[in-house]
Amino acid sequence: MTRLLLPGMEGRVLGERGGLRVVELYIGAQHPASGHMRLIVYLDGDMIVRVDPDIGYVHRTVEKLAETREYVRVISLVERMTIIDACNVTLPYVEAVERLLGVEAPPRARYLRTILCEINRVSSHLYGLGLGGIFLNHSTMYMWAFGDREVFVHLASLLTGSRLTHTYPVFGGVRRDLPQSFRDEFEKAKRYMLRRLREYDKVFFNNPVIRGRLEGVGVLPREKAVALGATGPNLRASGVRYDARMTGYAAYRDLGFEPVVGREGDALERVWVRLREIEASLELVERALRELPDGPFIDERYTRAVPPAVRHWLEKGRLKLPGGYVRLKTRPGEALGRGEMGRGEITYYLVSDGGMKPYRLRVVTPSARNVVLFDALARGHTLMDLPAVYGSIDYFPPEADR
Amino acid sequence: MAGSAGGDRHRSRPGLVRAHLEAIATAARRLLEPPMTMPIPDYGDARVPGYRGVVLFDYDKCIGCSLCAQICPARAIKMYRVPGDKRLRPGYNVGRCIFCGLCTDICPTDALSESIVHDRVYDDVPSMDMDPVDWAVWSRRVLEEERKPGRPLLRARVDPERGLVYERVDAEGGPVAEEKGEER
Ligand code: SF4
Ligand code: SF4
């Protein structure tokens, strides 16, 4: 079989059909546009007949490691699946454990969690848009989205003290109260971002070159989206009105959450849904800030046992934990945690035997569910459409590999 | 709330020539604006208040309860036996630390605190793994550097026109008077 070398890719000729070579092409794992994974693409001439995503390059045994750590230490562990969407990835786990512990976060903490989740969602969508842009050789979109994401990373670090891995929601509440400067900074960031979204429309979304690359590419019909179990903006772009936030966790019920739903299901529609979700998230944060209830940011049960010498931190809006927090025991049983991340729904299934560590923690991440779309959407398109499909489904290998 | 149905993208679609021109004009307009990035290394990052950097240790305030070592998700803190000390004391491997700050949250005294630094340079890998005495000495050095920064500091702030802008601040985070108003 003949080897075939292309820039950044390697392949081999499988045979011939109708005068055209049938080629098996390896894209990745060192290809700049493959992410931490490899795509094995089968081509008939220039037409994709099959795509095998070769995943698992960044598998870190998160589920197994979770069984060896106390509940609170698992928060920072599961965060590492998607550090760019840290609050969204940890919150459903925290809520599942809270259910077994029998605590509930006070209203203020629920609102603060929602605020950080939505800020994370904006950063996550901007990250996806930037990568989607560079996949299409649109360097401007790449630079702009990553530059503007910095504004939201800055907001998150104001709230949590950390740019990416916030470890913000903990059992019974959150780790920091809203800092004084936050409202003002957010208000400016919202004005800035809304203006920028108009510019994105001009430079990227309505750009005829981008339209040419995305419109009608990788169409995912509604029924197929449901049958394949696609999730997140990819599902909503196909016209399915489903979003895990509709279950009303954190403060979403109080805020009257409404999902953004598309119709066409092509690559362009998936980008459109993400752009509009950025607007919706800004709107949600603004409403959450307006309606933010007063009160403690962590459950009394934990603050009561904090030594008097360090209680002053609580008044300053910083969490102090009691010594027993490391050795929290849950009641035996199972709990399910669901939440909507930037890329779709994440599910935690937690089994406890009454000890200090999870007996079993099963995680299904949105990217793990969306990986089927590579094959389903790229078939029948040309090789040049593959980056467009990849960019539009916003797949994140570390999240899928866990 | 943007709960609107999709598909309106087709209606709002501008004509081909106009769309091309708009895209070019929008990108060209940004060319005139200054960059959004922080000019490192000429300037240092003053960080936001409450930033979580490397963890600093005050030996005298520690009561040797080992809670920090128990909660550390990265096992960056280990308890050591120190000659001449009856209690175990924590040592710190900064190479393992993920700057989660949980140890400072659980420390029942104020022995642990967060600095604003996370990007220090170390001579070699073993020097990142510190025993309690090393950690305490090193912490004092980091604190001193924090008070007397080697380069001028900038702090990011959101600007409704330009996204992020940076202003000169002193080590305490106050604005620097003579250059106040000058932004990069
Ligand atoms: S900040 Fe986190 S990782 Fe670092 S020493 Fe403290 S608990 Fe461990
Ligand atoms: S938690 Fe604080 S007091 Fe306890 S051992 Fe660690 S540094 Fe010392």
Side-chain angles (χ1 to χ4, degrees), chain A residues 161 175-176 195 269 320-321, chain B residues 9 50 100 104-105 161:
Chain A
R175 285 178 63 201
R176 294 203 183 172
R195 197 166 57 79
E269 195 83 354
K320 272 288 169 179
L321 294 170
Chain B
R9 64 182 211 214
C100 67
T104 60
D105 282 1
E161 296 299 316

Side-chain angles (χ1 to χ4, degrees), chain A residues 62-364:
Chain A
V62 166
E63 292 182 3
K64 196 70 196 166
L65 283 175
E67 294 166 19
T68 68
R69 280 162 164 70
E70 287 80 7
Y71 285 106
V72 57
R73 299 171 65 207
V74 175
I75 304 177
S76 321
L77 175 69
V78 294
E79 190 166 55
R80 260 132 197 92
M81 292 188 289
T82 322
I83 56 167
I84 57 169
D85 203 0
C87 187
N88 281 312
V89 69
T90 53
L91 181 57
Y93 164 74
V94 169
E95 289 194 335
V97 177
E98 280 178 345
R99 239 160 267 150
L100 288 183
L101 286 170
V103 290
E104 212 179 302
R108 188 175 178 86
R110 287 195 288 114
Y111 273 71
L112 288 173
R113 287 171 175 184
T114 310
I115 290 169
L116 186 60
C117 277
E118 291 310 312
I119 285 174
N120 274 181
R121 191 177 322 276
V122 175
S123 327
S124 166
H125 281 349
L126 286 175
Y127 186 100
L129 276 171
L131 286 188
I134 197 67
F135 280 3
L136 302 176
N137 262 339
H138 198 297
S139 312
T140 307
M141 190 64 229
Y142 174 55
M143 291 295 175
W144 282 15
F146 273 76
D148 294 337
R149 172 173 168 266
E150 205 60 22
V151 175
F152 293 89
V153 169
H154 169 78
L155 283 178
S157 73
L158 265 183
L159 182 58
T160 67
S162 167
R163 285 166 48 86
L164 291 177
T165 47
H166 320 297
T167 325
Y168 189 60
V170 289
F171 317 131
V174 293
R175 285 178 63 201
R176 294 203 183 172
D177 206 350
L178 195 76
Q180 258 178 359
S181 55
F182 190 86
R183 285 173 195 269
D184 192 35
E185 294 275 272
F186 173 75
E187 196 266 326
K188 287 185 202 150
K190 184 185 174 210
R191 277 200 341 249
Y192 173 72
M193 198 61 224
L194 288 180
R195 197 166 57 79
R196 287 293 274 165
L197 283 174
R198 299 288 90 80
E199 293 186 6
Y200 286 8
D201 278 351
K202 286 189 188 135
V203 101
F204 189 72
F205 188 73
N206 284 330
N207 186 333
V209 182
I210 298 302
R211 289 244 169 176
R213 293 291 307 272
L214 295 181
E215 213 157 21
V217 170
V219 180
L220 182 64
R222 193 189 147 96
E223 291 72 36
K224 200 169 172 194
V226 175
L228 289 175
T231 178
N234 302 332
L235 177 70
R236 292 190 284 280
S238 298
V240 182
R241 193 175 167 277
Y242 177 77
D243 188 308
R245 286 174 284 175
M246 287 157 72
T247 59
Y249 67 96
Y252 290 113
R253 181 165 297 127
D254 310 355
L255 293 173
F257 170 75
E258 267 300 317
V260 178
V261 185
R263 197 168 61 196
E264 319 275 318
D266 61 353
L268 192 70
E269 195 83 354
R270 289 190 279 276
V271 172
W272 181 85
V273 167
R274 289 200 179 82
L275 286 169
R276 299 293 80 82
E277 279 196 2
I278 293 178
E279 282 176 357
S281 291
L282 294 171
E283 205 58 50
L284 272 172
V285 177
E286 187 169 57
R287 194 145 5 118
L289 281 173
R290 206 166 44 227
E291 295 171 16
L292 185 67
D294 288 330
F297 58 96
I298 180 121
D299 194 86
E300 279 265 305
R301 172 194 311 201
Y302 299 123
T303 46
R304 228 177 301 146
V306 170
V310 289
R311 289 192 80 92
H312 63 102
W313 286 110
L314 289 166
E315 276 126 51
K316 289 181 201 143
R318 293 274 302 267
L319 178 65
K320 272 288 169 179
L321 294 170
Y325 207 79
V326 201
R327 321 195 132 257
L328 286 179
K329 276 192 180 151
T330 60
R331 68 172 166 78
E334 350 173 299
L336 196 70
R338 290 165 73 189
E340 183 81 11
M341 295 177 57
R343 295 180 178 74
E345 180 176 4
I346 183 165
T347 318
Y348 287 96
Y349 173 59
L350 174 70
V351 183
S352 162
D353 58 0
M356 295 185 298
K357 300 168 184 172
Y359 174 77
R360 176 82 172 93
L361 181 68
R362 172 83 179 120
V363 195
V364 181

